[in-house]
Amino acid sequence: DGGITQSPKYLFRKEGQNVTLSCEQNLNHDAMYWYRQDPGQGLRLIYYSQIVNDFQKGDIAEGYSVSREKKESFPLTVTSAQKNPTAFYLCASSSTGLAGPFQETQYFGPGTRLLVL
Amino acid sequence: AQSVTQPDIHITVSEGASLELRCNYSYGATPYLFWYVQSPGQGLQLLLKYFSGDTLVQGIKGFEAEFKRSQSSFNLRKPSVHWSDAAEYFCAVGAKAAGNKLTFGGGTRVLVKP
């Protein structure tokens, strides 16, 4: 089955701790995205990557970091600098590539809920 | 910069009644428009999308949406709502000039009365 997996489903962070959220896709998509969802605010873009070894900041990148060493993986680290990390985090992917045609249908994973202890 | 507004935060509808969810966007060129649905604690599922061509778009689960350039709107409709349609619905706009990023509206939560 092709799709996007996110783990863990729930994650607890202690004060001053960095935590990493996993996102894996087997859709052979070039582009991957991380969104944060807070109640009543829709989804806000944290980081996105259109190709391996390259990524760009989204609208709310402060306190987060990412890497894109493999096409199928785009982990998100929530650092201790993120003072309000409690939220639902969604990963998405699309077939958009830097040299490809525009293809903006993004497919979403099931999400990770991050809670602060 | 592009933006999306969903004016209704909550909508309650009786089962079997029609449903219309409003979406207004702001973007200087022709946008790419999407509707997604989210069940509680789940990811987003694509309902339908508009890139070009026929302004009335058919989607999954009996939904349709109409792109109206003059009103900068992309409203979602369903003629007869089922209890399983209770969920949160998000409108989104994408644009190649904006780095292929999607901008989402705040969402509309739909409650279905029996």
Side-chain angles (χ1 to χ4, degrees), chain A residues 30-117:
Chain A
D30 293 308
M32 298 186 74
Y33 311 80
W34 274 107
Y35 293 91
R36 170 179 171 141
Q37 185 177 25
D38 296 281
Q41 293 193 44
L43 281 71
R44 293 181 289 169
L45 183 64
I46 305 172
Y47 268 97
Y48 66 106
S49 167
Q50 292 185 308
I51 198 167
V52 175
N53 292 323
D54 187 50
F55 49 83
Q56 288 79 40
K57 292 181 179 180
D59 300 319
I60 54 164
E62 186 174 351
Y64 300 96
S65 66
V66 294
S67 62
R68 186 83 187 278
E69 298 176 1
K70 298 186 294 182
K71 186 175 184 177
E72 59 269 23
S73 178
F74 191 41
L76 173 74
T77 296
V78 184
T79 74
S80 57
Q82 173 51 246
K83 298 307 179 188
N84 184 24
T86 297
F88 191 50
Y89 290 86
L90 287 160
C91 178
S93 70
S94 71
S95 62
T96 301
L98 285 176
F102 183 83
Q103 180 58 271
E104 259 306 308
T105 302
Q106 294 186 16
Y107 297 92
F108 285 80
T112 292
R113 187 165 299 280
L114 177 60
L115 300 166
V116 177
L117 293 176

